[in-house]
């Protein structure tokens, strides 16, 4: 399986009087977050301590959302099919996922994990999943069989959730909120999705370049880009990771890249993922209209 390069980069500056920013040195922290390389650059008198708090918050949220930490809330839910007293972050993220599921006609479905696992396991052997495996996985997909409230999350036997199409954006939103609480106003967070709180420290918006060309000016908004072939299951890089919950097959190669902006990174992340399964630009725009502030910023045909 091949993956697009993932990383975490955060740049932020405290609010200062014009001309004073250059007097404040930039502190750079590097480490690991969300399972990948992370860089945090802050211009703030308490930058070192703030960086430590950001790293701690990301790790705490990984304990909620990670599929690779065996004791995370999501891993425990997938193992037993039930989670009592779920973390409010998991409930909030799943509630948003359910809203996107409805607005996209089921194209965004967190219960896709059994299908994804079938492709990943076959890919590790240099193969594609056979029809029997796919049929078995498809029988365990369906958001309508998930129930959740403040006391309990449960789902049918054999089902499993993945939040890979929304959780990184959700975490970017949480980090932005933490930095805002620390008094920082000009923030750009890059987790593969972008979250801008305020504008560029030098004035104006943050200029975010798109891999397919062009750029989006980002201020107090989020931007997510999805590519059906950004992660692939085959050596030829033609079997993409965005799977159709209904057919069990990868998104058709109609789109090379789709970028969506929204008030939150979690929403932009989920909508850009689902957009890859639509057949026309007009249908994508009609879907986005269900969410205030969601905009199709760029779309590139394959």
């Amino acid at each position: 399986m091949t993956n697009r390069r993932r990383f975490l980069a955060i740049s932020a500056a405290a609010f200062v009087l014009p001309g004073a920013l250059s007097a404040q040195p930039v502190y750079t922290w590097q480490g690991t977050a969300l399972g990948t390389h992370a860089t945090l650059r802050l211009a703030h008198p308490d930058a070192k301590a703030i960086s430590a708090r950001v790293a701690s918050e990301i790790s705490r949220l990984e304990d909620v959302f990670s599929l690779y930490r065996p004791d995370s809330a999501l891993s425990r839910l997938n193992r037993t099919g039930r989670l009592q007293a779920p973390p409010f972050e998991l409930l909030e993220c799943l509630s948003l996922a359910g809203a996107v599921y409805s607005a996209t006609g089921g194209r965004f479905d967190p219960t896709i994990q059994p299908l994804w696992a079938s492709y990943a396991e076959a890919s590790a052997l240099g193969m594609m999943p056979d029809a029997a495996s796919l049929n078995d996985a498809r029988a365990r997909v369906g958001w309508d069989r998930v129930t959740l409230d403040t006391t309990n999350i449960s789902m049918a036997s054999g089902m499993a959730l993945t939040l890979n199409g929304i959780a990184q954006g959700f975490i970017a939103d949480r980090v932005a909120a933490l930095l805002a609480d620390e008094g920082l106003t000009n923030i750009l967070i890059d987790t593969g999705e972008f979250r801008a709180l305020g504008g560029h420290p030098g004035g104006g918006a943050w200029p975010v370049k798109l891999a397919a060309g062009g750029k989006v000016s980002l201020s107090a908004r989020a931007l997510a880009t999805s590519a059906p072939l950004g992660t692939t299951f085959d050596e030829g890089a033609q079997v993409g990771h965005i799977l159709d919950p209904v057919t069990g097959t990868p998104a058709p190669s109609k789109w090379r890249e789709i970028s969506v902006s929204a008030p939150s990174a979690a929403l932009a992340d989920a909508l850009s993922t689902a957009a890859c399964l639509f057949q026309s630009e007009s249908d994508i725009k009609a879907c986005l209209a269900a969410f205030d502030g969601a905009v199709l910023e760029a779309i590139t045909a394959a």
Side-chain angles (χ1 to χ4, degrees):
M1 184 162 51
T2 59
N3 296 274
R4 64 179 179 177
R5 181 173 177 264
R6 303 290 293 191
F7 58 93
L8 170 68
I10 302 172
S11 300
F15 179 80
V16 293
L17 294 174
L21 181 61
S22 59
Q24 177 62 55
V26 176
Y27 173 81
T28 299
W29 170 88
Q30 292 185 326
T32 301
L34 303 177
T36 190
H37 179 70
T39 300
L40 174 62
R41 297 181 180 89
L42 299 181
H44 191 282
D46 199 24
K48 186 174 182 179
I50 292 173
S51 297
R53 287 194 284 273
V54 169
S56 177
E57 175 67 357
I58 291 173
S59 181
R60 185 185 73 82
L61 291 170
E62 286 188 274
D63 280 339
V64 176
F65 296 115
S66 176
L67 284 171
Y68 303 103
R69 292 188 178 186
D71 292 326
S72 74
L74 184 59
S75 292
R76 287 185 282 120
L77 172 61
N78 284 347
R79 210 163 34 240
T80 65
R82 169 171 287 191
L83 185 67
Q84 294 184 322
F88 78 90
E89 294 93 348
L90 183 57
L91 285 172
E92 185 177 346
C93 193
L94 287 175
S95 294
L96 177 59
V100 177
Y101 170 87
S102 297
T104 61
R107 290 173 176 84
F108 185 83
D109 189 336
T111 68
I112 201 79
Q113 179 61 16
L115 275 170
W116 198 95
S118 291
Y119 277 93
E121 289 164 8
S123 175
L125 300 174
M127 305 165 57
M128 287 291 102
D130 57 31
S133 296
L134 287 180
N135 287 336
D136 174 69
R138 284 173 59 196
R140 292 182 282 128
V141 172
W143 179 252
D144 58 342
R145 287 180 285 166
V146 178
T147 61
L148 61 149
D149 57 37
T150 57
T151 63
N152 180 71
I153 302 172
S154 61
M155 53 192 177
S157 176
M159 294 180 67
L161 302 178
T162 175
L163 296 173
N164 284 349
I166 190 172
Q168 281 190 287
F170 186 92
I171 291 173
D173 291 328
R174 290 294 182 182
V175 170
L178 185 155
L179 292 173
D181 288 344
E182 298 283 358
L184 291 116
T185 57
N186 301 306
I187 302 167
L188 183 68
I189 299 169
D190 179 0
T191 61
E193 285 67 52
F194 292 89
R195 176 69 163 87
L197 184 62
H200 192 280
W206 291 91
V208 177
K209 293 183 179 179
L210 302 177
K215 67 179 182 180
V216 175
S217 296
L218 210 58
S219 180
R221 286 180 65 74
L223 178 76
T225 297
S226 291
L229 298 180
T231 298
T232 56
F233 293 109
D234 63 321
E235 290 186 3
Q238 296 302 308
V239 181
H241 70 298
I242 297 178
L243 304 174
D244 187 324
V246 176
T247 65
T249 58
S253 55
K254 185 175 181 65
W255 312 114
R256 187 167 65 130
E257 191 172 278
I258 297 176
S259 296
V260 173
S261 69
S264 77
L267 180 59
D269 193 2
L271 289 175
S272 68
T273 300
C276 294
L277 290 165
F278 282 90
Q279 293 298 302
S280 72
E281 184 174 341
S282 61
D283 286 342
I284 294 172
K285 289 180 176 179
C287 169
L288 299 188
F291 298 93
D292 288 341
V295 176
L296 179 63
E297 295 285 357
I299 186 167
T300 306

